[in-house]
mmCIF file of all heavy atoms in Angstrom:
data_model
loop_
_atom_site.group_PDB
_atom_site.id
_atom_site.type_symbol
_atom_site.label_atom_id
_atom_site.label_comp_id
_atom_site.label_asym_id
_atom_site.label_seq_id
_atom_site.Cartn_x
_atom_site.Cartn_y
_atom_site.Cartn_z
ATOM 1 N N PRO A 41 -12.536 15.960 2.842
ATOM 2 C CA PRO A 41 -13.531 16.435 3.793
ATOM 3 C C PRO A 41 -14.674 15.403 3.837
ATOM 4 O O PRO A 41 -15.062 14.851 2.858
ATOM 5 C CB PRO A 41 -13.977 17.759 3.208
ATOM 6 C CG PRO A 41 -13.580 17.734 1.807
ATOM 7 C CD PRO A 41 -12.395 16.803 1.639
ATOM 8 N N GLY A 42 -15.243 15.271 5.043
ATOM 9 C CA GLY A 42 -16.486 14.513 5.179
ATOM 10 C C GLY A 42 -17.676 15.377 4.850
ATOM 11 O O GLY A 42 -17.577 16.574 4.724
ATOM 12 N N GLY A 44 -20.447 17.881 5.029
ATOM 13 C CA GLY A 44 -20.659 19.059 5.883
ATOM 14 C C GLY A 44 -19.459 19.652 6.514
ATOM 15 O O GLY A 44 -19.564 20.669 7.232
ATOM 16 N N GLU A 45 -18.242 19.117 6.311
ATOM 17 C CA GLU A 45 -17.077 19.709 6.950
ATOM 18 C C GLU A 45 -16.551 20.870 6.176
ATOM 19 O O GLU A 45 -16.492 20.865 4.968
ATOM 20 C CB GLU A 45 -15.913 18.689 6.977
ATOM 21 C CG GLU A 45 -15.905 17.634 8.070
ATOM 22 C CD GLU A 45 -14.661 16.858 8.115
ATOM 23 O OE1 GLU A 45 -14.203 16.260 7.123
ATOM 24 O OE2 GLU A 45 -14.114 16.682 9.239
ATOM 25 N N GLU A 46 -16.242 21.918 6.930
ATOM 26 C CA GLU A 46 -15.495 23.072 6.317
ATOM 27 C C GLU A 46 -14.074 22.521 6.099
ATOM 28 O O GLU A 46 -13.565 21.705 6.837
ATOM 29 C CB GLU A 46 -15.484 24.245 7.311
ATOM 30 C CG GLU A 46 -16.802 24.784 7.538
ATOM 31 C CD GLU A 46 -17.481 25.461 6.376
ATOM 32 O OE1 GLU A 46 -16.694 26.055 5.530
ATOM 33 O OE2 GLU A 46 -18.695 25.379 6.147
ATOM 34 N N MET A 47 -13.350 23.075 5.056
ATOM 35 C CA MET A 47 -12.106 22.564 4.639
ATOM 36 C C MET A 47 -11.077 22.498 5.764
ATOM 37 O O MET A 47 -10.211 21.610 5.818
ATOM 38 C CB MET A 47 -11.575 23.387 3.472
ATOM 39 C CG MET A 47 -10.341 22.765 2.832
ATOM 40 S SD MET A 47 -10.547 21.026 2.308
ATOM 41 C CE MET A 47 -11.560 21.228 0.858
ATOM 42 N N GLU A 48 -11.042 23.456 6.664
ATOM 43 C CA GLU A 48 -10.038 23.476 7.712
ATOM 44 C C GLU A 48 -10.189 22.260 8.641
ATOM 45 O O GLU A 48 -9.166 21.742 9.209
ATOM 46 C CB GLU A 48 -10.103 24.736 8.563
ATOM 47 C CG GLU A 48 -8.906 24.907 9.440
ATOM 48 C CD GLU A 48 -8.841 26.331 10.051
ATOM 49 O OE1 GLU A 48 -8.758 27.306 9.289
ATOM 50 O OE2 GLU A 48 -8.895 26.380 11.301
ATOM 51 N N GLN A 49 -11.343 21.710 8.787
ATOM 52 C CA GLN A 49 -11.590 20.579 9.703
ATOM 53 C C GLN A 49 -10.819 19.331 9.306
ATOM 54 O O GLN A 49 -10.138 18.726 10.049
ATOM 55 C CB GLN A 49 -13.106 20.290 9.876
ATOM 56 C CG GLN A 49 -13.852 21.315 10.607
ATOM 57 C CD GLN A 49 -15.365 21.114 10.539
ATOM 58 O OE1 GLN A 49 -15.954 21.281 9.471
ATOM 59 N NE2 GLN A 49 -15.966 20.788 11.673
ATOM 60 N N PRO A 50 -10.981 18.903 7.979
ATOM 61 C CA PRO A 50 -10.265 17.706 7.628
ATOM 62 C C PRO A 50 -8.734 17.923 7.552
ATOM 63 O O PRO A 50 -7.984 16.976 7.785
ATOM 64 C CB PRO A 50 -10.772 17.368 6.206
ATOM 65 C CG PRO A 50 -11.377 18.613 5.703
ATOM 66 C CD PRO A 50 -11.837 19.315 6.937
ATOM 67 N N VAL A 51 -8.298 19.153 7.317
ATOM 68 C CA VAL A 51 -6.847 19.417 7.330
ATOM 69 C C VAL A 51 -6.302 19.170 8.767
ATOM 70 O O VAL A 51 -5.285 18.465 8.946
ATOM 71 C CB VAL A 51 -6.588 20.824 6.886
ATOM 72 C CG1 VAL A 51 -5.037 21.194 7.052
ATOM 73 C CG2 VAL A 51 -6.948 21.041 5.412
ATOM 74 N N ARG A 52 -6.971 19.682 9.778
ATOM 75 C CA ARG A 52 -6.599 19.465 11.160
ATOM 76 C C ARG A 52 -6.675 17.999 11.528
ATOM 77 O O ARG A 52 -5.808 17.436 12.131
ATOM 78 C CB ARG A 52 -7.381 20.302 12.079
ATOM 79 C CG ARG A 52 -7.111 21.748 12.033
ATOM 80 C CD ARG A 52 -7.923 22.495 13.117
ATOM 81 N NE ARG A 52 -7.847 23.939 12.918
ATOM 82 C CZ ARG A 52 -6.762 24.672 13.273
ATOM 83 N NH1 ARG A 52 -5.752 24.087 13.840
ATOM 84 N NH2 ARG A 52 -6.715 25.974 13.111
ATOM 85 N N ARG A 53 -7.782 17.388 11.146
ATOM 86 C CA ARG A 53 -7.992 15.978 11.465
ATOM 87 C C ARG A 53 -6.904 15.033 10.885
ATOM 88 O O ARG A 53 -6.416 14.184 11.573
ATOM 89 C CB ARG A 53 -9.423 15.534 10.958
ATOM 90 C CG ARG A 53 -9.685 14.043 11.135
ATOM 91 C CD ARG A 53 -11.116 13.666 10.801
ATOM 92 N NE ARG A 53 -11.749 14.350 9.700
ATOM 93 C CZ ARG A 53 -11.689 14.019 8.408
ATOM 94 N NH1 ARG A 53 -10.856 13.033 8.045
ATOM 95 N NH2 ARG A 53 -12.307 14.692 7.447
ATOM 96 N N ARG A 54 -6.603 15.260 9.614
ATOM 97 C CA ARG A 54 -5.624 14.386 8.979
ATOM 98 C C ARG A 54 -4.175 14.672 9.536
ATOM 99 O O ARG A 54 -3.340 13.753 9.556
ATOM 100 C CB ARG A 54 -5.649 14.548 7.470
ATOM 101 C CG ARG A 54 -6.928 14.029 6.795
ATOM 102 C CD ARG A 54 -7.247 12.623 7.125
ATOM 103 N NE ARG A 54 -6.269 11.750 6.462
ATOM 104 C CZ ARG A 54 -6.243 10.440 6.526
ATOM 105 N NH1 ARG A 54 -7.087 9.817 7.276
ATOM 106 N NH2 ARG A 54 -5.383 9.749 5.861
ATOM 107 N N ALA A 55 -3.894 15.879 9.908
ATOM 108 C CA ALA A 55 -2.652 16.164 10.531
ATOM 109 C C ALA A 55 -2.450 15.338 11.793
ATOM 110 O O ALA A 55 -1.365 14.728 11.981
ATOM 111 C CB ALA A 55 -2.468 17.642 10.921
ATOM 112 N N ILE A 66 -3.342 27.639 9.243
ATOM 113 C CA ILE A 66 -3.669 26.971 7.993
ATOM 114 C C ILE A 66 -4.066 27.984 6.956
ATOM 115 O O ILE A 66 -4.920 28.819 7.154
ATOM 116 C CB ILE A 66 -4.843 25.973 8.197
ATOM 117 C CG1 ILE A 66 -4.432 24.905 9.248
ATOM 118 C CG2 ILE A 66 -5.239 25.273 6.886
ATOM 119 C CD1 ILE A 66 -5.569 24.012 9.728
#
Side-chain angles (χ1 to χ4, degrees):
E45 276 189 312
E46 295 294 325
M47 189 56 74
E48 193 170 297
Q49 291 172 291
V51 173
R52 287 186 190 283
R53 176 172 35 83
R54 294 304 290 179
I66 299 168

